[in-house]
Amino acid sequence: MTAAGARRLAVVGWPVEHSLSPALHGAVARELGLDWDYGRSAVEPGGLPAFVGALGPEWLGLSVTAPHKDAAAELADELDPLARATGTVNTLLLGAPIRGRRALRGWSTDVGGIVRAFADAGLDRARSAAILGAGATAQTALVALASMGVERVTVALRTPAKAQRLRELSASLGVALEVQALDAPLPVVDVAVSTLPAAASAVPTFAAPPTRLLDADYARPEGSRYLASLPRLHVIDGREMLLGQAVLQARIFAQGDVDAPLPDEPRVVAAMRGALGASATGPRASGTLEES
């Protein structure tokens, strides 16, 4: 039951039972003394507009995960530049009613989550990259890599014809894009982002290990699939991406500004990392893809 006066928040998705967002934002609320009631809401595909339309005045915002990120972008009255670039929204802030409905502001903090994950692993800039997969996370990764100075990206996927959205996005970003089959060896690149889900059996091979690889699938208790073939590869745990985007999301929920750091933010981030149940840095992994 929601306490009187508490502001309600939730992560919406299908499925959503696995989400770590309540733990992360619960840590923010405890550290900052915020009266938040943050939960999970399972919303079937196509059901986001009706769900949002039924929210009462006690609702502050939503974290949005698969499969609703495109729908959230369509619902938002105002989009931040990164949400416009990716065509996806993972954060909705509910404002005052306009003509009988709540005004919605949308952000994509997933982009910043990827950039922050690489930065925390000691890498701020790169020139070439590989992206494995072509879904919504791959689009986000492309925007993030472009912001890090990447000029050339190789995309590997099972069905190369599905790369059209990435081709269009790369053209708008001024990034040269090459597409290849998932089972072909990848060229030498500085960094890589794997967006392949846990169910994918393929393990792409690299001509040479990149300096860093962010594995967005952290559902494997045995660790990243890439460690067996490249044991000395520096794999960034996907929970670092999750943590990074959640910090930016918390700024929005608490202050309405993604660029304004939280009070004593390093202490809050440490509490959020602790709430994940284990260090989010290193070669081990546990979690799920498309979390927000």
Side-chain angles (χ1 to χ4, degrees), residues 52-55 77 95-103:
V52 172
L55 298 179
D77 301 291
I98 297 178
R99 292 185 293 277
R101 64 178 292 270
R102 302 285 296 278

Side-chain angles (χ1 to χ4, degrees), residues 2-292:
T2 302
R7 302 305 307 275
R8 294 194 66 182
L9 297 131
V11 55
V12 295
W14 188 267
V16 77
E17 293 79 11
H18 62 272
S19 177
L20 298 174
S21 290
L24 288 165
H25 290 289
V28 175
R30 288 190 299 274
E31 291 298 312
L32 299 181
L34 298 171
D35 193 7
W36 285 358
D37 178 13
Y38 192 109
R40 298 178 181 89
S41 293
V43 177
E44 294 187 20
L48 187 66
F51 176 84
V52 172
L55 298 179
E58 73 277 14
W59 281 86
L60 173 62
L62 298 171
S63 303
V64 183
T65 190
H68 300 302
K69 294 183 180 183
D70 291 348
E74 295 174 1
L75 281 177
D77 301 291
E78 180 183 338
L79 294 173
D80 86 309
L82 296 177
R84 285 197 297 271
T86 62
T88 63
V89 158
N90 78 323
T91 310
L92 284 172
L93 189 67
L94 283 72
I98 297 178
R99 292 185 293 277
R101 64 178 292 270
R102 302 285 296 278
L104 298 173
R105 297 169 63 192
W107 286 262
S108 172
T109 68
D110 288 331
V111 174
I114 291 174
V115 173
R116 183 172 183 142
F118 276 114
D120 288 348
L123 188 72
D124 294 307
R125 306 287 294 176
R127 297 193 64 181
S128 61
I131 297 175
L132 314 178
T137 303
Q139 296 172 29
T140 300
L142 181 57
V143 175
L145 292 166
S147 75
M148 293 168 57
V150 168
E151 302 170 352
R152 175 176 58 85
V153 173
T154 299
V155 176
L157 64 162
R158 185 175 295 104
T159 308
K162 293 184 178 180
Q164 184 57 33
R165 175 67 183 116
L166 286 172
R167 292 184 189 276
E168 296 169 357
L169 184 56
S170 67
S172 69
L173 295 169
V175 174
L177 189 77
E178 299 177 3
V179 178
Q180 68 172 56
L182 193 60
D183 57 359
L186 285 152
V188 176
V189 293
D190 297 330
V191 298
V193 178
S194 174
T195 72
L196 300 177
S201 58
V203 180
T205 58
F206 291 86
T211 59
R212 303 286 189 278
L213 183 146
L214 172 61
D215 190 353
D217 164 32
Y218 47 103
R220 293 168 177 258
E222 72 275 17
S224 172
R225 73 189 77 198
Y226 299 96
L227 292 173
S229 57
L230 296 167
R232 288 183 291 179
L233 177 66
H234 185 136
V235 176
I236 303 172
D237 191 310
R239 287 174 297 177
E240 280 292 335
M241 177 180 69
L242 171 62
L243 176 65
Q245 67 81 27
V247 172
L248 300 177
Q249 205 169 69
R251 292 179 179 180
I252 294 166
F253 292 150
Q255 303 170 153
D257 187 350
V258 71
D259 296 316
L262 297 166
D264 198 2
E265 188 165 280
R267 172 177 60 84
V268 177
V269 172
M272 295 171 75
R273 180 174 277 110
L276 290 175
S279 172
T281 304
R284 305 296 291 176
S286 63
T288 186
L289 183 71
E290 294 286 8
E291 170 74 49
S292 287

